[in-house]
Amino acid sequence: MRRTRTSAAVIGIAALSLAACATGTTSDSADDTTTAASTETQEQMEGGAGGEVGVFTWWADGSEKVGLDAMVGVFNEQFPNDTFVNLAVAGGAGTNAKAKLASDLENGNPPDSFQGHAGAELTDYIVNSQVEPVNDVIEELGGSSVFPQDLLDRITVEGNIYSVPSNIHRSNVVWANPTVLEAAGVTETPGDMDAWLADMQKVKDSGVETPLSIGGTWTVVHLFENVLLADLGPEDYAGLFDGSTPWDSEGVQTAVDHMTQLLAFANNASSGDDWVAPTDMVIDGTAAYNVMGDWAVGQFNSRDQVDGEDYVYFPVPGTDGVFNFLADSFTLPVGAPNPEGSKDWLRTVGSVDGQQAFNLAKGSIPARTDVPSDDFPTYQQTAIESFANDTIASSIAHGAAVPLAWLDDISTATAKFYSSKDGTVYVTDLTAAADKALG
Ligand code: GAL
């Protein structure tokens, strides 16, 4: 298995976590796993700590809420004494939620648990002393015998593990409407950006005004990270986050040039638009393609779309063999009103039953490696296979590669580029953002 770690912060975390292994923070012995299982059973037998458990996410509606509700269903069964309180704030990728969370944390008003991305984003919360270690819960759940060590490394600092991962999503997926492609005479999967752009022209010539659908700023960042990955390759892409690949290098300029061409094939979006409408454009045939994380599966399901008939998917052209990774995880905030209830929630998030119910609905794959995969539909089977065999890259738009402040600067630069289409200024802004972040 080839893995590429892409953030300076994450490299630091990985190195530190080796110390954790040496001091026995992680466990892979059968004995430990047995202890874990019985402790978990004990907690569940007691029915949970009791009281309200306020959980903050951005899975507020649509198919994302369906996923959360599935997890809550398991929580209610496992911990009947506890009362789940849904503190979700709508807005894909946490665009609105993250600002609200930041002010709640700043004002000493934390929820009992909040959603955070494994990697650089979680590191922010750790460095700012906003989250508590949850080594005990991870140990109970089975530690590194059930969670991939690479994933644990991304949530570990100085031997302490700070969240419980719920799922793994893939960012570099093109979702396409096969009927539209057939009508345009597009019969093969494009191998690179230029071939893909040529196909977009064919689709446009067939009468579809907007071959590519996009939403607001975060979806443009999402598209851009995958164009960068395609044009730089996983190694140079990884170098963007530790300073070894300059943001004004030729590869980045090529990616920006490809972005300009791609956006010329896309619909006009407002900065706050979300991801569901662009997915619907593919479903409705007003676009042929959309680049989105595999939470899109939830939307295809909710519109009764059949995999392989109504929609098809392939890695963003030029990224075949690479899995652009992000993972959601849940925390125990410092000052949580009901810390024991929070730990009950974390136990459900990290349990086999919780992960199975949640991921089946969400389109992601379980973070645990021991959740039976046979029940998962075709798309998720391909993602499980790719995650095991592909080179792993880290998503920019979803907290894996860069901390929150750097992502904010990249988003501001991207919004500006989206309105001006000035690639030279975009490269200058991106380079300034990297200089600021990396010092
Ligand atoms: C990501 C998150 C996913 C999904 C997506 C769209 O940041 O990790 O689980 O919610 O945003 O909202």
PDB file of all heavy atoms in Angstrom, residues 47-85:
ATOM      1  N   GLY A  47     -26.597   1.606  30.475  1.00  0.00           N
ATOM      2  CA  GLY A  47     -27.523   2.490  29.778  1.00  0.00           C
ATOM      3  C   GLY A  47     -27.034   3.905  29.570  1.00  0.00           C
ATOM      4  O   GLY A  47     -27.772   4.751  29.077  1.00  0.00           O
ATOM      5  N   GLY A  48     -25.802   4.184  29.974  1.00  0.00           N
ATOM      6  CA  GLY A  48     -25.231   5.510  29.717  1.00  0.00           C
ATOM      7  C   GLY A  48     -25.291   6.423  30.917  1.00  0.00           C
ATOM      8  O   GLY A  48     -25.957   6.138  31.923  1.00  0.00           O
ATOM      9  N   ALA A  49     -24.588   7.546  30.781  1.00  0.00           N
ATOM     10  CA  ALA A  49     -24.391   8.473  31.901  1.00  0.00           C
ATOM     11  C   ALA A  49     -25.670   9.209  32.291  1.00  0.00           C
ATOM     12  O   ALA A  49     -25.838   9.642  33.423  1.00  0.00           O
ATOM     13  CB  ALA A  49     -23.327   9.496  31.517  1.00  0.00           C
ATOM     14  N   GLY A  50     -26.576   9.362  31.345  1.00  0.00           N
ATOM     15  CA  GLY A  50     -27.797  10.136  31.597  1.00  0.00           C
ATOM     16  C   GLY A  50     -27.596  11.606  31.268  1.00  0.00           C
ATOM     17  O   GLY A  50     -26.470  12.089  31.147  1.00  0.00           O
ATOM     18  N   GLY A  51     -28.701  12.298  31.102  1.00  0.00           N
ATOM     19  CA  GLY A  51     -28.643  13.730  30.788  1.00  0.00           C
ATOM     20  C   GLY A  51     -28.617  13.981  29.293  1.00  0.00           C
ATOM     21  O   GLY A  51     -28.604  13.060  28.476  1.00  0.00           O
ATOM     22  N   GLU A  52     -28.598  15.285  28.971  1.00  0.00           N
ATOM     23  CA  GLU A  52     -28.601  15.681  27.560  1.00  0.00           C
ATOM     24  C   GLU A  52     -27.186  15.618  26.993  1.00  0.00           C
ATOM     25  O   GLU A  52     -26.215  15.941  27.690  1.00  0.00           O
ATOM     26  CB  GLU A  52     -29.131  17.110  27.428  1.00  0.00           C
ATOM     27  CG  GLU A  52     -30.592  17.209  27.828  1.00  0.00           C
ATOM     28  CD  GLU A  52     -31.203  18.546  27.436  1.00  0.00           C
ATOM     29  OE1 GLU A  52     -30.438  19.526  27.258  1.00  0.00           O
ATOM     30  OE2 GLU A  52     -32.433  18.590  27.312  1.00  0.00           O
ATOM     31  N   VAL A  53     -27.098  15.215  25.735  1.00  0.00           N
ATOM     32  CA  VAL A  53     -25.804  15.174  25.058  1.00  0.00           C
ATOM     33  C   VAL A  53     -25.949  15.993  23.770  1.00  0.00           C
ATOM     34  O   VAL A  53     -26.566  15.549  22.796  1.00  0.00           O
ATOM     35  CB  VAL A  53     -25.385  13.718  24.729  1.00  0.00           C
ATOM     36  CG1 VAL A  53     -24.006  13.705  24.076  1.00  0.00           C
ATOM     37  CG2 VAL A  53     -25.394  12.853  25.987  1.00  0.00           C
ATOM     38  N   GLY A  54     -25.408  17.210  23.806  1.00  0.00           N
ATOM     39  CA  GLY A  54     -25.537  18.124  22.664  1.00  0.00           C
ATOM     40  C   GLY A  54     -24.410  17.890  21.672  1.00  0.00           C
ATOM     41  O   GLY A  54     -23.232  18.025  22.011  1.00  0.00           O
ATOM     42  N   VAL A  55     -24.774  17.523  20.443  1.00  0.00           N
ATOM     43  CA  VAL A  55     -23.762  17.191  19.437  1.00  0.00           C
ATOM     44  C   VAL A  55     -23.860  18.172  18.270  1.00  0.00           C
ATOM     45  O   VAL A  55     -24.912  18.357  17.674  1.00  0.00           O
ATOM     46  CB  VAL A  55     -23.929  15.734  18.952  1.00  0.00           C
ATOM     47  CG1 VAL A  55     -22.941  15.420  17.834  1.00  0.00           C
ATOM     48  CG2 VAL A  55     -23.733  14.765  20.123  1.00  0.00           C
ATOM     49  N   PHE A  56     -22.717  18.791  17.966  1.00  0.00           N
ATOM     50  CA  PHE A  56     -22.646  19.842  16.958  1.00  0.00           C
ATOM     51  C   PHE A  56     -22.069  19.278  15.655  1.00  0.00           C
ATOM     52  O   PHE A  56     -20.971  18.724  15.635  1.00  0.00           O
ATOM     53  CB  PHE A  56     -21.736  20.956  17.493  1.00  0.00           C
ATOM     54  CG  PHE A  56     -21.670  22.160  16.619  1.00  0.00           C
ATOM     55  CD1 PHE A  56     -22.500  23.249  16.837  1.00  0.00           C
ATOM     56  CD2 PHE A  56     -20.776  22.215  15.557  1.00  0.00           C
ATOM     57  CE1 PHE A  56     -22.438  24.372  16.016  1.00  0.00           C
ATOM     58  CE2 PHE A  56     -20.716  23.337  14.737  1.00  0.00           C
ATOM     59  CZ  PHE A  56     -21.542  24.409  14.969  1.00  0.00           C
ATOM     60  N   THR A  57     -22.838  19.409  14.564  1.00  0.00           N
ATOM     61  CA  THR A  57     -22.356  18.996  13.225  1.00  0.00           C
ATOM     62  C   THR A  57     -22.873  20.008  12.207  1.00  0.00           C
ATOM     63  O   THR A  57     -23.574  20.952  12.565  1.00  0.00           O
ATOM     64  CB  THR A  57     -22.927  17.618  12.795  1.00  0.00           C
ATOM     65  OG1 THR A  57     -24.344  17.769  12.562  1.00  0.00           O
ATOM     66  CG2 THR A  57     -22.705  16.545  13.844  1.00  0.00           C
ATOM     67  N   TRP A  58     -22.566  19.755  10.916  1.00  0.00           N
ATOM     68  CA  TRP A  58     -23.249  20.503   9.854  1.00  0.00           C
ATOM     69  C   TRP A  58     -24.120  19.559   9.014  1.00  0.00           C
ATOM     70  O   TRP A  58     -24.469  19.862   7.886  1.00  0.00           O
ATOM     71  CB  TRP A  58     -22.276  21.280   8.975  1.00  0.00           C
ATOM     72  CG  TRP A  58     -21.129  20.535   8.376  1.00  0.00           C
ATOM     73  CD1 TRP A  58     -21.103  19.846   7.207  1.00  0.00           C
ATOM     74  CD2 TRP A  58     -19.800  20.475   8.904  1.00  0.00           C
ATOM     75  NE1 TRP A  58     -19.853  19.339   6.973  1.00  0.00           N
ATOM     76  CE2 TRP A  58     -19.022  19.716   7.997  1.00  0.00           C
ATOM     77  CE3 TRP A  58     -19.172  20.986  10.049  1.00  0.00           C
ATOM     78  CZ2 TRP A  58     -17.662  19.460   8.201  1.00  0.00           C
ATOM     79  CZ3 TRP A  58     -17.836  20.722  10.257  1.00  0.00           C
ATOM     80  CH2 TRP A  58     -17.095  19.966   9.336  1.00  0.00           C
ATOM     81  N   TRP A  59     -24.471  18.426   9.625  1.00  0.00           N
ATOM     82  CA  TRP A  59     -25.349  17.485   8.916  1.00  0.00           C
ATOM     83  C   TRP A  59     -26.796  17.796   9.302  1.00  0.00           C
ATOM     84  O   TRP A  59     -27.479  17.019   9.978  1.00  0.00           O
ATOM     85  CB  TRP A  59     -24.952  16.059   9.280  1.00  0.00           C
ATOM     86  CG  TRP A  59     -23.535  15.748   8.902  1.00  0.00           C
ATOM     87  CD1 TRP A  59     -22.829  16.239   7.828  1.00  0.00           C
ATOM     88  CD2 TRP A  59     -22.621  14.872   9.580  1.00  0.00           C
ATOM     89  NE1 TRP A  59     -21.559  15.725   7.797  1.00  0.00           N
ATOM     90  CE2 TRP A  59     -21.404  14.885   8.862  1.00  0.00           C
ATOM     91  CE3 TRP A  59     -22.719  14.076  10.719  1.00  0.00           C
ATOM     92  CZ2 TRP A  59     -20.287  14.137   9.250  1.00  0.00           C
ATOM     93  CZ3 TRP A  59     -21.622  13.321  11.100  1.00  0.00           C
ATOM     94  CH2 TRP A  59     -20.423  13.349  10.372  1.00  0.00           C
ATOM     95  N   ALA A  60     -27.265  18.953   8.839  1.00  0.00           N
ATOM     96  CA  ALA A  60     -28.532  19.489   9.331  1.00  0.00           C
ATOM     97  C   ALA A  60     -29.730  19.062   8.507  1.00  0.00           C
ATOM     98  O   ALA A  60     -30.853  19.051   9.008  1.00  0.00           O
ATOM     99  CB  ALA A  60     -28.461  21.013   9.362  1.00  0.00           C
ATOM    100  N   ASP A  61     -29.513  18.778   7.222  1.00  0.00           N
ATOM    101  CA  ASP A  61     -30.685  18.399   6.435  1.00  0.00           C
ATOM    102  C   ASP A  61     -30.313  17.442   5.308  1.00  0.00           C
ATOM    103  O   ASP A  61     -29.147  17.102   5.127  1.00  0.00           O
ATOM    104  CB  ASP A  61     -31.434  19.634   5.891  1.00  0.00           C
ATOM    105  CG  ASP A  61     -30.487  20.721   5.443  1.00  0.00           C
ATOM    106  OD1 ASP A  61     -29.478  20.371   4.819  1.00  0.00           O
ATOM    107  OD2 ASP A  61     -30.763  21.897   5.735  1.00  0.00           O
ATOM    108  N   GLY A  62     -31.345  17.027   4.563  1.00  0.00           N
ATOM    109  CA  GLY A  62     -31.142  16.151   3.409  1.00  0.00           C
ATOM    110  C   GLY A  62     -30.462  14.840   3.783  1.00  0.00           C
ATOM    111  O   GLY A  62     -30.621  14.328   4.889  1.00  0.00           O
ATOM    112  N   SER A  63     -29.684  14.333   2.840  1.00  0.00           N
ATOM    113  CA  SER A  63     -29.089  13.011   3.015  1.00  0.00           C
ATOM    114  C   SER A  63     -28.061  12.999   4.148  1.00  0.00           C
ATOM    115  O   SER A  63     -27.813  11.959   4.762  1.00  0.00           O
ATOM    116  CB  SER A  63     -28.438  12.553   1.709  1.00  0.00           C
ATOM    117  OG  SER A  63     -27.507  13.520   1.263  1.00  0.00           O
ATOM    118  N   GLU A  64     -27.462  14.172   4.437  1.00  0.00           N
ATOM    119  CA  GLU A  64     -26.482  14.188   5.531  1.00  0.00           C
ATOM    120  C   GLU A  64     -27.177  13.992   6.881  1.00  0.00           C
ATOM    121  O   GLU A  64     -26.645  13.332   7.769  1.00  0.00           O
ATOM    122  CB  GLU A  64     -25.693  15.492   5.510  1.00  0.00           C
ATOM    123  CG  GLU A  64     -25.001  15.671   4.168  1.00  0.00           C
ATOM    124  CD  GLU A  64     -23.749  16.507   4.229  1.00  0.00           C
ATOM    125  OE1 GLU A  64     -23.838  17.694   4.575  1.00  0.00           O
ATOM    126  OE2 GLU A  64     -22.689  15.968   3.922  1.00  0.00           O
ATOM    127  N   LYS A  65     -28.361  14.564   6.990  1.00  0.00           N
ATOM    128  CA  LYS A  65     -29.125  14.370   8.235  1.00  0.00           C
ATOM    129  C   LYS A  65     -29.561  12.897   8.353  1.00  0.00           C
ATOM    130  O   LYS A  65     -29.599  12.350   9.458  1.00  0.00           O
ATOM    131  CB  LYS A  65     -30.343  15.294   8.265  1.00  0.00           C
ATOM    132  CG  LYS A  65     -31.159  15.149   9.544  1.00  0.00           C
ATOM    133  CD  LYS A  65     -32.183  16.259   9.691  1.00  0.00           C
ATOM    134  CE  LYS A  65     -32.885  16.215  11.036  1.00  0.00           C
ATOM    135  NZ  LYS A  65     -33.624  14.969  11.266  1.00  0.00           N
ATOM    136  N   VAL A  66     -29.866  12.291   7.216  1.00  0.00           N
ATOM    137  CA  VAL A  66     -30.251  10.874   7.249  1.00  0.00           C
ATOM    138  C   VAL A  66     -29.119  10.047   7.865  1.00  0.00           C
ATOM    139  O   VAL A  66     -29.338   9.155   8.696  1.00  0.00           O
ATOM    140  CB  VAL A  66     -30.602  10.363   5.822  1.00  0.00           C
ATOM    141  CG1 VAL A  66     -30.892   8.876   5.824  1.00  0.00           C
ATOM    142  CG2 VAL A  66     -31.787  11.134   5.261  1.00  0.00           C
ATOM    143  N   GLY A  67     -27.874  10.374   7.487  1.00  0.00           N
ATOM    144  CA  GLY A  67     -26.717   9.673   8.059  1.00  0.00           C
ATOM    145  C   GLY A  67     -26.618   9.905   9.555  1.00  0.00           C
ATOM    146  O   GLY A  67     -26.470   8.958  10.347  1.00  0.00           O
ATOM    147  N   LEU A  68     -26.728  11.178   9.952  1.00  0.00           N
ATOM    148  CA  LEU A  68     -26.644  11.491  11.389  1.00  0.00           C
ATOM    149  C   LEU A  68     -27.760  10.777  12.151  1.00  0.00           C
ATOM    150  O   LEU A  68     -27.530  10.178  13.208  1.00  0.00           O
ATOM    151  CB  LEU A  68     -26.725  13.014  11.594  1.00  0.00           C
ATOM    152  CG  LEU A  68     -26.705  13.481  13.047  1.00  0.00           C
ATOM    153  CD1 LEU A  68     -25.397  13.100  13.733  1.00  0.00           C
ATOM    154  CD2 LEU A  68     -26.906  15.006  13.139  1.00  0.00           C
ATOM    155  N   ASP A  69     -28.965  10.836  11.597  1.00  0.00           N
ATOM    156  CA  ASP A  69     -30.107  10.194  12.275  1.00  0.00           C
ATOM    157  C   ASP A  69     -29.858   8.697  12.471  1.00  0.00           C
ATOM    158  O   ASP A  69     -30.255   8.122  13.492  1.00  0.00           O
ATOM    159  CB  ASP A  69     -31.404  10.395  11.470  1.00  0.00           C
ATOM    160  CG  ASP A  69     -31.915  11.836  11.551  1.00  0.00           C
ATOM    161  OD1 ASP A  69     -31.405  12.595  12.399  1.00  0.00           O
ATOM    162  OD2 ASP A  69     -32.801  12.192  10.753  1.00  0.00           O
ATOM    163  N   ALA A  70     -29.198   8.077  11.483  1.00  0.00           N
ATOM    164  CA  ALA A  70     -28.909   6.638  11.603  1.00  0.00           C
ATOM    165  C   ALA A  70     -27.972   6.399  12.785  1.00  0.00           C
ATOM    166  O   ALA A  70     -28.158   5.450  13.565  1.00  0.00           O
ATOM    167  CB  ALA A  70     -28.301   6.113  10.297  1.00  0.00           C
ATOM    168  N   MET A  71     -26.996   7.282  12.940  1.00  0.00           N
ATOM    169  CA  MET A  71     -26.062   7.148  14.077  1.00  0.00           C
ATOM    170  C   MET A  71     -26.805   7.385  15.395  1.00  0.00           C
ATOM    171  O   MET A  71     -26.594   6.673  16.380  1.00  0.00           O
ATOM    172  CB  MET A  71     -24.923   8.168  13.920  1.00  0.00           C
ATOM    173  CG  MET A  71     -23.840   8.052  14.962  1.00  0.00           C
ATOM    174  SD  MET A  71     -22.705   6.711  14.601  1.00  0.00           S
ATOM    175  CE  MET A  71     -21.439   7.580  13.681  1.00  0.00           C
ATOM    176  N   VAL A  72     -27.675   8.377  15.392  1.00  0.00           N
ATOM    177  CA  VAL A  72     -28.430   8.698  16.615  1.00  0.00           C
ATOM    178  C   VAL A  72     -29.331   7.516  17.002  1.00  0.00           C
ATOM    179  O   VAL A  72     -29.486   7.209  18.193  1.00  0.00           O
ATOM    180  CB  VAL A  72     -29.253   9.995  16.420  1.00  0.00           C
ATOM    181  CG1 VAL A  72     -30.161  10.248  17.610  1.00  0.00           C
ATOM    182  CG2 VAL A  72     -28.331  11.188  16.197  1.00  0.00           C
ATOM    183  N   GLY A  73     -29.880   6.835  15.994  1.00  0.00           N
ATOM    184  CA  GLY A  73     -30.715   5.663  16.275  1.00  0.00           C
ATOM    185  C   GLY A  73     -29.923   4.611  17.061  1.00  0.00           C
ATOM    186  O   GLY A  73     -30.436   4.033  18.034  1.00  0.00           O
ATOM    187  N   VAL A  74     -28.682   4.397  16.655  1.00  0.00           N
ATOM    188  CA  VAL A  74     -27.837   3.417  17.362  1.00  0.00           C
ATOM    189  C   VAL A  74     -27.502   3.941  18.762  1.00  0.00           C
ATOM    190  O   VAL A  74     -27.539   3.184  19.747  1.00  0.00           O
ATOM    191  CB  VAL A  74     -26.542   3.131  16.554  1.00  0.00           C
ATOM    192  CG1 VAL A  74     -25.616   2.180  17.328  1.00  0.00           C
ATOM    193  CG2 VAL A  74     -26.885   2.557  15.191  1.00  0.00           C
ATOM    194  N   PHE A  75     -27.233   5.236  18.870  1.00  0.00           N
ATOM    195  CA  PHE A  75     -26.925   5.849  20.181  1.00  0.00           C
ATOM    196  C   PHE A  75     -28.096   5.643  21.146  1.00  0.00           C
ATOM    197  O   PHE A  75     -27.901   5.247  22.306  1.00  0.00           O
ATOM    198  CB  PHE A  75     -26.648   7.342  19.966  1.00  0.00           C
ATOM    199  CG  PHE A  75     -26.354   8.114  21.229  1.00  0.00           C
ATOM    200  CD1 PHE A  75     -25.228   7.847  21.993  1.00  0.00           C
ATOM    201  CD2 PHE A  75     -27.192   9.153  21.631  1.00  0.00           C
ATOM    202  CE1 PHE A  75     -24.948   8.579  23.144  1.00  0.00           C
ATOM    203  CE2 PHE A  75     -26.920   9.884  22.774  1.00  0.00           C
ATOM    204  CZ  PHE A  75     -25.800   9.598  23.545  1.00  0.00           C
ATOM    205  N   ASN A  76     -29.296   5.890  20.653  1.00  0.00           N
ATOM    206  CA  ASN A  76     -30.480   5.751  21.520  1.00  0.00           C
ATOM    207  C   ASN A  76     -30.642   4.314  22.005  1.00  0.00           C
ATOM    208  O   ASN A  76     -31.065   4.085  23.139  1.00  0.00           O
ATOM    209  CB  ASN A  76     -31.747   6.191  20.779  1.00  0.00           C
ATOM    210  CG  ASN A  76     -31.777   7.698  20.581  1.00  0.00           C
ATOM    211  OD1 ASN A  76     -31.085   8.437  21.282  1.00  0.00           O
ATOM    212  ND2 ASN A  76     -32.548   8.154  19.598  1.00  0.00           N
ATOM    213  N   GLU A  77     -30.288   3.369  21.135  1.00  0.00           N
ATOM    214  CA  GLU A  77     -30.373   1.956  21.555  1.00  0.00           C
ATOM    215  C   GLU A  77     -29.282   1.614  22.558  1.00  0.00           C
ATOM    216  O   GLU A  77     -29.522   0.916  23.538  1.00  0.00           O
ATOM    217  CB  GLU A  77     -30.169   1.050  20.339  1.00  0.00           C
ATOM    218  CG  GLU A  77     -31.436   0.664  19.652  1.00  0.00           C
ATOM    219  CD  GLU A  77     -31.140  -0.047  18.333  1.00  0.00           C
ATOM    220  OE1 GLU A  77     -30.123  -0.766  18.239  1.00  0.00           O
ATOM    221  OE2 GLU A  77     -31.927   0.176  17.395  1.00  0.00           O
ATOM    222  N   GLN A  78     -28.072   2.101  22.276  1.00  0.00           N
ATOM    223  CA  GLN A  78     -26.939   1.723  23.139  1.00  0.00           C
ATOM    224  C   GLN A  78     -26.979   2.442  24.486  1.00  0.00           C
ATOM    225  O   GLN A  78     -26.540   1.898  25.491  1.00  0.00           O
ATOM    226  CB  GLN A  78     -25.612   2.030  22.427  1.00  0.00           C
ATOM    227  CG  GLN A  78     -25.347   1.119  21.229  1.00  0.00           C
ATOM    228  CD  GLN A  78     -24.005   1.404  20.558  1.00  0.00           C
ATOM    229  OE1 GLN A  78     -23.415   2.464  20.745  1.00  0.00           O
ATOM    230  NE2 GLN A  78     -23.532   0.467  19.756  1.00  0.00           N
ATOM    231  N   PHE A  79     -27.482   3.674  24.491  1.00  0.00           N
ATOM    232  CA  PHE A  79     -27.447   4.479  25.718  1.00  0.00           C
ATOM    233  C   PHE A  79     -28.811   5.109  26.001  1.00  0.00           C
ATOM    234  O   PHE A  79     -29.002   6.324  25.869  1.00  0.00           O
ATOM    235  CB  PHE A  79     -26.357   5.568  25.598  1.00  0.00           C
ATOM    236  CG  PHE A  79     -24.983   4.976  25.425  1.00  0.00           C
ATOM    237  CD1 PHE A  79     -24.362   4.988  24.182  1.00  0.00           C
ATOM    238  CD2 PHE A  79     -24.334   4.367  26.489  1.00  0.00           C
ATOM    239  CE1 PHE A  79     -23.110   4.409  24.021  1.00  0.00           C
ATOM    240  CE2 PHE A  79     -23.073   3.785  26.327  1.00  0.00           C
ATOM    241  CZ  PHE A  79     -22.462   3.811  25.091  1.00  0.00           C
ATOM    242  N   PRO A  80     -29.780   4.285  26.395  1.00  0.00           N
ATOM    243  CA  PRO A  80     -31.144   4.792  26.567  1.00  0.00           C
ATOM    244  C   PRO A  80     -31.272   5.844  27.662  1.00  0.00           C
ATOM    245  O   PRO A  80     -32.249   6.604  27.650  1.00  0.00           O
ATOM    246  CB  PRO A  80     -31.945   3.527  26.904  1.00  0.00           C
ATOM    247  CG  PRO A  80     -30.942   2.506  27.315  1.00  0.00           C
ATOM    248  CD  PRO A  80     -29.670   2.837  26.620  1.00  0.00           C
ATOM    249  N   ASN A  81     -30.316   5.914  28.593  1.00  0.00           N
ATOM    250  CA  ASN A  81     -30.418   6.962  29.641  1.00  0.00           C
ATOM    251  C   ASN A  81     -30.124   8.351  29.094  1.00  0.00           C
ATOM    252  O   ASN A  81     -30.483   9.355  29.715  1.00  0.00           O
ATOM    253  CB  ASN A  81     -29.396   6.715  30.763  1.00  0.00           C
ATOM    254  CG  ASN A  81     -29.642   5.418  31.483  1.00  0.00           C
ATOM    255  OD1 ASN A  81     -30.690   4.804  31.295  1.00  0.00           O
ATOM    256  ND2 ASN A  81     -28.681   4.988  32.285  1.00  0.00           N
ATOM    257  N   ASP A  82     -29.404   8.420  27.972  1.00  0.00           N
ATOM    258  CA  ASP A  82     -28.951   9.719  27.444  1.00  0.00           C
ATOM    259  C   ASP A  82     -29.975  10.300  26.473  1.00  0.00           C
ATOM    260  O   ASP A  82     -30.682   9.565  25.788  1.00  0.00           O
ATOM    261  CB  ASP A  82     -27.619   9.551  26.707  1.00  0.00           C
ATOM    262  CG  ASP A  82     -26.496   9.063  27.614  1.00  0.00           C
ATOM    263  OD1 ASP A  82     -26.641   9.178  28.835  1.00  0.00           O
ATOM    264  OD2 ASP A  82     -25.488   8.555  27.092  1.00  0.00           O
ATOM    265  N   THR A  83     -30.010  11.627  26.416  1.00  0.00           N
ATOM    266  CA  THR A  83     -30.911  12.297  25.472  1.00  0.00           C
ATOM    267  C   THR A  83     -30.080  13.070  24.459  1.00  0.00           C
ATOM    268  O   THR A  83     -29.389  14.035  24.806  1.00  0.00           O
ATOM    269  CB  THR A  83     -31.832  13.289  26.219  1.00  0.00           C
ATOM    270  OG1 THR A  83     -32.485  12.568  27.264  1.00  0.00           O
ATOM    271  CG2 THR A  83     -32.851  13.910  25.285  1.00  0.00           C
ATOM    272  N   PHE A  84     -30.144  12.636  23.203  1.00  0.00           N
ATOM    273  CA  PHE A  84     -29.383  13.307  22.146  1.00  0.00           C
ATOM    274  C   PHE A  84     -30.014  14.663  21.832  1.00  0.00           C
ATOM    275  O   PHE A  84     -31.225  14.768  21.646  1.00  0.00           O
ATOM    276  CB  PHE A  84     -29.376  12.445  20.877  1.00  0.00           C
ATOM    277  CG  PHE A  84     -28.615  13.060  19.735  1.00  0.00           C
ATOM    278  CD1 PHE A  84     -27.249  12.875  19.609  1.00  0.00           C
ATOM    279  CD2 PHE A  84     -29.272  13.844  18.787  1.00  0.00           C
ATOM    280  CE1 PHE A  84     -26.536  13.448  18.560  1.00  0.00           C
ATOM    281  CE2 PHE A  84     -28.568  14.422  17.731  1.00  0.00           C
ATOM    282  CZ  PHE A  84     -27.203  14.224  17.623  1.00  0.00           C
ATOM    283  N   VAL A  85     -29.186  15.699  21.793  1.00  0.00           N
ATOM    284  CA  VAL A  85     -29.677  17.024  21.392  1.00  0.00           C
ATOM    285  C   VAL A  85     -28.932  17.424  20.122  1.00  0.00           C
ATOM    286  O   VAL A  85     -27.695  17.495  20.105  1.00  0.00           O
ATOM    287  CB  VAL A  85     -29.433  18.068  22.507  1.00  0.00           C
ATOM    288  CG1 VAL A  85     -29.921  19.446  22.062  1.00  0.00           C
ATOM    289  CG2 VAL A  85     -30.145  17.644  23.787  1.00  0.00           C
TER     290      VAL A  85
END
